[in-house]
Amino acid sequence: MKLKNWHIGVIIGSTYSAVFAPLIVWAISLGIDIDLAMFVLLPGLFGLLLGLFIYQTTTRERNVPFLITSLVFGVLSGIFSIMREMAPAIGIPEQSGFFLSLHMNCAGFQFLFFYLFIEGIREFRPKPWRLVLAFGLSELQTISLWLIYWFNVKGASTEGLWFFADLGYNTLGLFTFLGCALPVYVQSFRLTKEPRSAILFVAVILVGASFVMSSVLDYNSELHLGLDLDDDIGSVNDVLALGGILLFTIVYVSNVDYLYRLPADNYALMVSLKTGETIHFVRFKTRSKVDLNQDLLSGLLSTINLVFQSIMTTSSSITEISSSNATLLSEPGRWITATVITEKPSAILDKALKRYVDHFERMFAVRLADKSTCVTDYDSARTLLKKMFPFFVVDDDHSGGASPQLAR
């Protein structure tokens, strides 16, 4: 019997509860504050998502390495935080903040890799200035944290270094969630109007608000600003972050395919033989109306590639033709070229297109070897769409290989 997503989530969640619940009880029995002991649940939440994503990657041939790496660092961050708090109680020396530096550094790497995941959703190639800024902030935090550890070992003051460590950590969190993730999820909600998009939007807001509050608390203390802040703000900050993580968990456990929801229109998918004949064409539902002539598109791509290969004396094909509001993203295979007509290309879309070409050619190897141009021979390729492109919604009213003029 095939297990559904929520079945897998229940199994993984139960396993983590069985592991971490006794740890919470043990921590409380050692005299550790109950609020701190509950923080043990965070590795369980990240572990729940991590287990689901690894399961989906292996069974559905999905590829989200940055998000999986982010969750791994989230689990490690929680584990090192627990070790830091419990080390004195169980007789392990903390070594002047060694576990604290590990905990904070892993948390920073978690946000860095989440940023890389978001960048893959929104861009075909990462924007250089965003990439430099994210890695710069991560490097600032990392260097500061380990200088703090080194100076602590030497018995020197580290007060000034904590400002730079928190500056890197808080700014990276604000940049990742409010600067990068928020526009993506806002655009996704405007595009789909789906409740899950709204939940992700709220989740990003909650996590972003927690970083705003964390920044105010840290800078007030380190820069001696003298602001009269309530002691409960720190607890509220933790609740906001945990609430955001829970919302992410609920959305992705209920539908892991939502990871691949793209914040742009994707108009159509076209598969052509290397000789130029279109053998498969599928139109997708979009928010904007666009008229597409598959024969003209196929002929255009074929002509451009022939001219390019002739002039450059190369066998390579053009893989991208862009304008301000549309892009033809192509992936050549042994026999075919698959092209997605999209409002804006992204790295996730490009990787999915590569996997689609590989599966398509394996699925129709005999027909392609015979150079069959009968479009009905390839109708069963629709079964690949859900597997390779879970973010596409087929427009059945206007899709098909026989009609030369497709208009929504």
Side-chain angles (χ1 to χ4, degrees), residues 4-37:
K4 296 182 179 180
N5 286 344
W6 72 271
H7 290 150
I8 301 297
V10 169
I11 292 172
I12 297 173
S14 299
T15 302
Y16 267 83
S17 298
V19 171
F20 285 104
L23 285 177
I24 295 175
V25 175
W26 183 38
I28 295 173
S29 68
L30 292 174
I32 295 176
D33 185 80
I34 187 170
D35 291 335
L36 183 60

Side-chain angles (χ1 to χ4, degrees), residues 83-398:
M83 292 175 68
R84 172 178 174 258
E85 297 299 334
M86 297 183 67
I90 59 179
I92 300 177
E94 194 205 340
Q95 299 186 11
S96 302
F98 177 71
F99 289 131
L100 175 61
S101 293
L102 280 176
H103 156 60
M104 294 296 296
N105 211 178
C106 285
F109 285 145
Q110 176 191 354
F111 303 137
L112 174 65
F113 281 94
F114 185 72
Y115 152 75
L116 292 173
F117 165 69
I118 292 296
E119 195 76 355
I121 291 178
R122 68 185 295 182
E123 300 291 346
F124 186 33
R125 300 177 185 87
K127 293 291 185 182
W129 73 267
R130 287 202 295 260
L131 200 62
V132 170
L133 177 59
F135 274 92
L137 291 171
S138 178
E139 186 175 359
L140 175 64
Q141 185 208 14
T142 299
I143 293 174
S144 300
L145 283 173
W146 292 105
L147 283 176
I148 288 170
Y149 168 66
W150 188 78
F151 280 118
N152 275 335
V153 171
K154 299 295 183 180
S157 174
T158 60
E159 183 177 355
L161 287 171
W162 271 114
F163 168 76
F164 292 104
D166 289 334
L167 179 65
Y169 175 78
N170 290 325
T171 307
L172 179 59
L174 290 168
F175 170 72
T176 297
F177 288 95
L178 296 185
C180 296
L182 182 59
V184 169
Y185 291 125
V186 168
Q187 183 68 13
S188 294
F189 176 70
R190 290 176 59 190
L191 182 65
T192 65
K193 304 298 183 183
E194 294 173 341
R196 286 190 179 93
S197 293
I199 294 174
L200 289 174
F201 166 75
V202 173
V204 169
I205 290 291
L206 291 177
V207 177
S210 76
F211 274 104
V212 172
M213 297 178 69
S214 176
S215 300
V216 172
L217 288 171
D218 290 338
Y219 301 148
N220 181 57
S221 173
E222 292 156 6
L223 298 178
H224 308 290
L225 299 179
L227 299 178
D228 186 15
L229 300 176
D230 195 319
D231 293 337
D232 292 334
I233 289 181
S235 299
V236 174
N237 174 49
D238 293 337
V239 169
L240 289 176
L242 185 58
I245 293 169
L246 282 171
L247 289 179
F248 274 113
T249 304
I250 291 170
V251 170
Y252 291 147
V253 166
S254 63
N255 186 357
V256 174
D257 284 344
Y258 226 79
L259 284 169
Y260 305 89
R261 187 70 71 206
L262 302 179
D265 271 338
N266 298 285
Y267 304 113
L269 171 68
M270 179 176 66
V271 180
S272 304
L273 295 178
K274 288 295 186 69
T275 51
E277 298 92 342
T278 300
I279 57 175
H280 189 62
F281 192 95
V282 182
R283 175 67 185 265
F284 305 118
K285 291 185 178 180
T286 61
R287 58 179 175 171
S288 55
K289 296 181 179 179
V290 176
D291 291 333
L292 297 173
N293 187 306
Q294 64 190 66
D295 292 332
L296 287 177
L297 280 173
S298 179
L300 172 66
L301 288 174
S302 179
T303 302
I304 290 176
N305 275 316
L306 286 174
V307 172
F308 175 77
Q309 292 168 355
S310 176
I311 293 175
M312 303 303 296
T313 62
T314 178
S315 60
S316 299
S317 300
I318 292 176
T319 57
E320 182 185 0
I321 301 175
S322 297
S323 69
S324 60
N325 57 2
T327 295
L328 303 180
L329 187 64
S330 297
E331 180 61 32
R334 179 182 177 186
W335 292 295
I336 66 169
T337 297
T339 302
V340 171
I341 300 91
T342 180
E343 181 182 14
K344 184 177 181 181
S346 67
I348 281 184
L349 179 60
D350 183 54
K351 291 176 182 178
L353 187 60
K354 286 179 168 63
R355 294 196 301 275
Y356 178 82
V357 169
D358 179 63
H359 281 71
F360 190 100
E361 293 195 326
R362 281 190 280 151
M363 187 174 184
F364 300 105
V366 175
R367 294 184 180 90
L368 292 172
D370 292 338
K371 295 183 173 55
S372 170
T373 58
C374 180
V375 294
T376 57
D377 286 347
Y378 305 97
D379 283 347
S380 56
R382 281 189 170 221
T383 59
L384 292 176
L385 289 175
K386 182 62 178 176
K387 184 176 183 180
M388 298 296 128
F389 304 102
F391 40 81
F392 287 168
V393 180
V394 176
D395 187 354
D396 289 315
D397 294 334
H398 299 96

